[in-house]
mmCIF file of all heavy atoms in Angstrom:
data_model
loop_
_atom_site.group_PDB
_atom_site.id
_atom_site.type_symbol
_atom_site.label_atom_id
_atom_site.label_comp_id
_atom_site.label_asym_id
_atom_site.label_seq_id
_atom_site.Cartn_x
_atom_site.Cartn_y
_atom_site.Cartn_z
ATOM 1 N N LEU B 896 32.083 -18.874 33.673
ATOM 2 C CA LEU B 896 32.476 -18.570 32.294
ATOM 3 C C LEU B 896 34.006 -18.449 32.199
ATOM 4 O O LEU B 896 34.641 -19.004 31.280
ATOM 5 C CB LEU B 896 31.790 -17.271 31.846
ATOM 6 C CG LEU B 896 32.033 -16.802 30.415
ATOM 7 C CD1 LEU B 896 31.687 -17.873 29.380
ATOM 8 C CD2 LEU B 896 31.191 -15.536 30.134
ATOM 9 N N TYR B 897 34.579 -17.772 33.162
ATOM 10 C CA TYR B 897 36.043 -17.617 33.195
ATOM 11 C C TYR B 897 36.720 -18.991 33.287
ATOM 12 O O TYR B 897 37.672 -19.280 32.552
ATOM 13 C CB TYR B 897 36.427 -16.721 34.386
ATOM 14 C CG TYR B 897 37.912 -16.630 34.635
ATOM 15 C CD1 TYR B 897 38.778 -16.153 33.653
ATOM 16 C CD2 TYR B 897 38.461 -17.011 35.871
ATOM 17 C CE1 TYR B 897 40.149 -16.068 33.890
ATOM 18 C CE2 TYR B 897 39.822 -16.924 36.113
ATOM 19 C CZ TYR B 897 40.661 -16.455 35.110
ATOM 20 O OH TYR B 897 42.010 -16.370 35.339
ATOM 21 N N ARG B 898 36.216 -19.859 34.170
ATOM 22 C CA ARG B 898 36.814 -21.197 34.315
ATOM 23 C C ARG B 898 36.734 -21.993 33.020
ATOM 24 O O ARG B 898 37.681 -22.667 32.629
ATOM 25 C CB ARG B 898 36.099 -21.978 35.439
ATOM 26 C CG ARG B 898 36.639 -21.696 36.827
ATOM 27 C CD ARG B 898 36.200 -22.784 37.815
ATOM 28 N NE ARG B 898 34.752 -22.918 37.872
ATOM 29 C CZ ARG B 898 33.951 -22.158 38.639
ATOM 30 N NH1 ARG B 898 34.467 -21.238 39.439
ATOM 31 N NH2 ARG B 898 32.647 -22.341 38.637
ATOM 32 N N HIS B 899 35.599 -21.893 32.353
ATOM 33 C CA HIS B 899 35.428 -22.626 31.089
ATOM 34 C C HIS B 899 36.445 -22.129 30.048
ATOM 35 O O HIS B 899 37.049 -22.922 29.311
ATOM 36 C CB HIS B 899 33.989 -22.471 30.588
ATOM 37 C CG HIS B 899 33.639 -23.367 29.435
ATOM 38 N ND1 HIS B 899 32.572 -23.133 28.609
ATOM 39 C CD2 HIS B 899 34.231 -24.490 28.945
ATOM 40 C CE1 HIS B 899 32.518 -24.078 27.681
ATOM 41 N NE2 HIS B 899 33.502 -24.904 27.856
ATOM 42 N N ILE B 900 36.634 -20.835 30.003
ATOM 43 C CA ILE B 900 37.613 -20.249 29.061
ATOM 44 C C ILE B 900 39.020 -20.759 29.382
ATOM 45 O O ILE B 900 39.781 -21.149 28.486
ATOM 46 C CB ILE B 900 37.550 -18.698 29.126
ATOM 47 C CG1 ILE B 900 36.240 -18.226 28.495
ATOM 48 C CG2 ILE B 900 38.759 -18.065 28.429
ATOM 49 C CD1 ILE B 900 35.952 -16.738 28.678
ATOM 50 N N MET B 901 39.362 -20.817 30.652
ATOM 51 C CA MET B 901 40.708 -21.264 31.045
ATOM 52 C C MET B 901 40.900 -22.767 30.748
ATOM 53 O O MET B 901 41.963 -23.182 30.289
ATOM 54 C CB MET B 901 40.941 -20.990 32.532
ATOM 55 C CG MET B 901 41.102 -19.521 32.847
ATOM 56 S SD MET B 901 42.508 -18.770 31.956
ATOM 57 C CE MET B 901 41.657 -17.603 30.927
ATOM 58 N N GLU B 902 39.871 -23.551 30.994
ATOM 59 C CA GLU B 902 39.953 -24.992 30.695
ATOM 60 C C GLU B 902 40.215 -25.243 29.208
ATOM 61 O O GLU B 902 41.011 -26.098 28.836
ATOM 62 C CB GLU B 902 38.642 -25.694 31.066
ATOM 63 C CG GLU B 902 38.487 -25.995 32.545
ATOM 64 C CD GLU B 902 37.019 -26.298 32.887
ATOM 65 O OE1 GLU B 902 36.268 -26.756 31.990
ATOM 66 O OE2 GLU B 902 36.637 -26.029 34.030
ATOM 67 N N LYS B 903 39.511 -24.485 28.384
ATOM 68 C CA LYS B 903 39.622 -24.685 26.936
ATOM 69 C C LYS B 903 40.806 -23.932 26.337
ATOM 70 O O LYS B 903 41.244 -24.238 25.227
ATOM 71 C CB LYS B 903 38.332 -24.194 26.238
ATOM 72 C CG LYS B 903 37.124 -25.076 26.484
ATOM 73 C CD LYS B 903 36.852 -26.000 25.314
ATOM 74 C CE LYS B 903 35.711 -26.965 25.525
ATOM 75 N NZ LYS B 903 34.397 -26.377 25.462
ATOM 76 N N GLY B 904 41.286 -22.903 27.047
ATOM 77 C CA GLY B 904 42.292 -22.025 26.435
ATOM 78 C C GLY B 904 41.723 -21.302 25.224
ATOM 79 O O GLY B 904 42.419 -20.975 24.271
ATOM 80 N N SER B 905 40.443 -21.021 25.283
ATOM 81 C CA SER B 905 39.740 -20.423 24.137
ATOM 82 C C SER B 905 38.579 -19.571 24.636
ATOM 83 O O SER B 905 37.953 -19.892 25.646
ATOM 84 C CB SER B 905 39.185 -21.534 23.239
ATOM 85 O OG SER B 905 38.241 -21.010 22.318
ATOM 86 N N VAL B 945 33.608 -21.980 23.593
ATOM 87 C CA VAL B 945 32.957 -21.838 24.899
ATOM 88 C C VAL B 945 31.515 -21.356 24.756
ATOM 89 O O VAL B 945 30.780 -21.305 25.740
ATOM 90 C CB VAL B 945 33.729 -20.869 25.830
ATOM 91 C CG1 VAL B 945 35.113 -21.438 26.158
ATOM 92 C CG2 VAL B 945 33.837 -19.464 25.240
ATOM 93 N N PHE B 1102 32.403 -8.826 30.728
ATOM 94 C CA PHE B 1102 32.698 -9.528 29.478
ATOM 95 C C PHE B 1102 32.174 -8.703 28.300
ATOM 96 O O PHE B 1102 31.146 -8.028 28.404
ATOM 97 C CB PHE B 1102 32.037 -10.912 29.467
ATOM 98 C CG PHE B 1102 32.920 -11.980 30.051
ATOM 99 C CD1 PHE B 1102 32.867 -12.279 31.407
ATOM 100 C CD2 PHE B 1102 33.834 -12.644 29.247
ATOM 101 C CE1 PHE B 1102 33.700 -13.252 31.957
ATOM 102 C CE2 PHE B 1102 34.674 -13.619 29.782
ATOM 103 C CZ PHE B 1102 34.617 -13.919 31.141
ATOM 104 N N LEU B 1129 36.544 -11.536 27.344
ATOM 105 C CA LEU B 1129 36.178 -11.516 25.928
ATOM 106 C C LEU B 1129 35.477 -12.807 25.518
ATOM 107 O O LEU B 1129 35.875 -13.896 25.950
ATOM 108 C CB LEU B 1129 37.425 -11.371 25.040
ATOM 109 C CG LEU B 1129 38.215 -10.073 25.115
ATOM 110 C CD1 LEU B 1129 39.515 -10.217 24.320
ATOM 111 C CD2 LEU B 1129 37.391 -8.896 24.576
#
Side-chain angles (χ1 to χ4, degrees):
Chain B
L896 182 55
Y897 172 59
R898 275 197 303 276
H899 190 199
I900 289 171
M901 289 301 116
E902 280 163 26
K903 289 260 177 74
S905 166
V945 296
F1102 271 91
L1129 294 172

